[in-house]
Amino acid sequence: MDLGLSGSRAFVTGGSLGIGLAIARTLTAEGASVVVCGRDAGRLARSGLRAVQADVTDAGQLGRAVDAAADQLGGLDLLVANAGGASGGDLLASTPADWMSTFAINALHAAHAIRCAVPHFDRAGGGSALIIASISGWKPGPESSYAAAKAAEIQLAASLAQELGPRNIRVNALSPGSVLFPGGGWDEFRAAHPASFAAFEANDFPRGRLVELQEVADAACFVLSPRASGISGANVCVDAAQDHPSAERFFP
């Protein structure tokens, strides 16, 4: 299926590793021109893609990165707010500062990136934005700050789809399940706790395996593309029917 992405201009935050890099490379394979953003200059260089270095939790840096990407590409049609993370763990192990930093790198960065992209989308006659949320945003699991921030991203996509729809801008969320890839968190967990990982994989996934990077990237590119023009305000789950968002469980 031709997704109609050839010639599109895309900016991807958190694009130097993992899901963000997979989406950027798949967009490139579909004929889009892509600029990725990240904090690590070495990873950005190794990505082999056009890149802008920035800390997305700094509003000024993020705004300049969006504008720099649009300058490099001659405009902007697509935005992927992929950067994310968590600080502090569960409620009693975390601090207010942990919660603030977790919301900053997730929901707040997504909102500001889209805000900064709107003028560029307007000049292009419209645009498509995708917020990378998580299964943790709609299935309860440990790390309450992360779960709350990802739930906020899902609601943010639904709200911005209403707010920006009259400008011909679509906004959606994509919620991956646990994704296994070399060097990722689940790869490290598997190496450190092979028995727990095997039980998680067998018990929580009907097909007996975690989600793969390319499965997430393919879904992301479809939702971004003109072939998905009727989809806006949605939360698209790519979790292989995963039961729990983590191999850990709640403990008293």
Side-chain angles (χ1 to χ4, degrees):
M1 176 188 291
D2 181 0
L3 295 180
L5 287 168
S6 182
S8 296
R9 301 157 297 183
F11 178 65
V12 181
T13 69
S16 64
L17 184 71
I19 290 173
L21 180 57
I23 292 173
R25 285 177 170 165
T26 305
L27 284 169
T28 301
E30 291 289 337
S33 298
V34 181
V35 171
V36 297
C37 171
R39 287 181 292 190
D40 190 310
R43 284 181 180 170
L44 289 172
R46 290 190 295 273
S47 75
L49 299 168
R50 282 185 278 192
V52 177
Q53 186 177 7
D55 178 351
V56 299
T57 65
D58 182 308
Q61 289 188 40
L62 179 55
R64 289 189 291 273
V66 173
D67 291 341
D71 286 344
Q72 288 189 43
L73 299 172
L76 204 61
D77 307 290
L78 311 172
L79 182 138
V80 181
N82 169 73
S87 301
D90 297 339
L91 180 67
L92 299 182
S94 62
T95 66
D98 291 328
W99 280 68
M100 290 177 68
S101 65
T102 298
F103 269 78
I105 199 170
N106 292 287
L108 300 185
H109 122 267
H112 190 54
I114 295 171
R115 179 189 292 116
C116 294
V118 165
H120 302 291
F121 287 164
D122 284 345
R123 284 190 283 273
S128 179
L130 185 64
I131 301 171
I132 306 302
S134 169
I135 183 177
S136 295
W138 62 284
K139 289 185 178 181
E143 291 195 298
S144 47
S145 62
Y146 182 74
K150 288 304 184 183
E153 288 187 329
I154 293 169
Q155 181 63 26
L156 177 65
S159 297
L160 293 185
Q162 295 285 333
E163 183 178 337
L164 301 177
R167 308 176 85 108
N168 194 32
I169 296 172
R170 293 188 300 116
V171 185
N172 289 287
L174 188 80
S175 289
S178 300
V179 184
L180 182 65
F181 59 91
W186 285 111
D187 189 40
E188 294 175 357
F189 183 85
R190 179 174 60 178
H193 309 283
S196 295
F197 179 86
F200 178 54
E201 189 172 48
N203 296 332
D204 281 68
F205 295 85
R207 290 187 291 168
R209 66 168 178 83
L210 277 65
V211 179
E212 297 176 357
L213 270 181
Q214 194 59 52
E215 292 172 326
V216 178
D218 287 344
C221 289
F222 171 72
V223 174
L224 285 163
S225 79
R227 297 303 292 264
S229 59
I231 302 175
S232 193
N235 176 37
V236 179
C237 302
V238 187
D239 62 5
Q242 183 174 348
D243 193 20
H244 298 91
S246 174
E248 298 177 0
R249 298 290 185 267
F250 294 106
F251 298 100

